[in-house]
Structures are given as structure tokens and as C-alpha cells.
Amino acid sequence: LTYAGWIFSFPKSADQPWHQDGSPLFEKGTESLPSYALNVFVGLHRAKQLLELGPTEFVVGSHHMEPDSAMSKIGTAVSAVLGKGDILLYDYRICHRGTSNLSSSSVASS
């Protein structure tokens, strides 16, 4: 386990910049390797709420691209809308970002 935490986006916050969560395992050729690290998300809100709170977007296939190429493919992004208790595992190399929190309250209703 490298990191455990809680990601919180404040009300009216903007989209995060596109990013990968860490540096490649090796300087060259990492995009052809199988997954060597995973991120795990656990949904804490109902899916309907998440659309307002700002779901994470992912660039499809970016874990098999050089980082610079992945950043240029943001037109192929998809959103992960997790319901309460849903689990999402994804490759550490996937280019992603948190989207804007459009809510006006710092407390989500359940």
C-alpha cells in the first residue's frame, strides 16, 4: 500500500488538471507492461449525487500510451459514476481528473 486517503472536492471547485498518479515504473517502455499498480475508489454517495459532486473522468486506453500522448487524447474521456458502496479499480497509469463540484453545500444529503 503506497497511499490511502480521502479525496474531497469543495463546493464550486473547478475541474482538476488531467494527470497520472505517479511516474512510470521505468523511463521507457512502461506502456507495454501489464498493470503494476492499481487505484481503488469506493463510492460514498448515491450515483445521482455524484453527478453534482463531480465524478472522475478517465482517458480510455491511456495506460497503454506514452504520458504525452495520453494527454492529447482527452476527447476520449469517460466518467465513472459510482453508487454508494460501488468499487472501481483502475490502472495507476490511466490519465484522469476530478471534475467540477457543482454543489453549493459542503455536506451531501443521504
Side-chain angles (χ1 to χ4, degrees):
L1 182 64
T2 301
Y3 174 82
W6 175 299
I7 308 300
F8 182 81
S9 100
F10 290 98
K12 306 297 182 193
S13 63
D15 290 341
Q16 290 180 339
W18 290 100
H19 65 279
Q20 293 170 313
D21 282 334
S23 54
L25 189 59
F26 304 112
E27 200 171 307
K28 295 269 185 204
T30 302
E31 66 280 353
S32 63
L33 293 177
S35 184
Y36 56 85
L38 295 174
N39 287 343
V40 180
F41 282 5
V42 178
L44 301 177
H45 302 284
R46 293 188 318 251
K48 181 179 173 186
Q49 289 175 297
L50 187 59
L51 292 173
E52 184 178 64
L53 296 173
T56 301
E57 290 184 322
F58 298 89
V59 178
V60 177
S62 59
H63 59 301
H64 291 299
M65 299 175 197
E66 297 260 347
D68 292 336
S69 298
M71 299 301 181
S72 69
K73 303 286 186 197
I74 61 174
T76 57
V78 295
S79 293
V81 181
L82 302 180
K84 196 173 197 173
D86 289 346
I87 305 265
L88 172 70
L89 294 135
Y90 67 93
D91 193 298
Y92 180 74
R93 299 168 291 178
I94 288 183
C95 185
H96 63 282
R97 70 175 180 176
T99 58
S100 300
N101 181 338
L102 304 175
S103 69
S104 57
S105 171
S106 60
V107 179
S109 59
S110 44

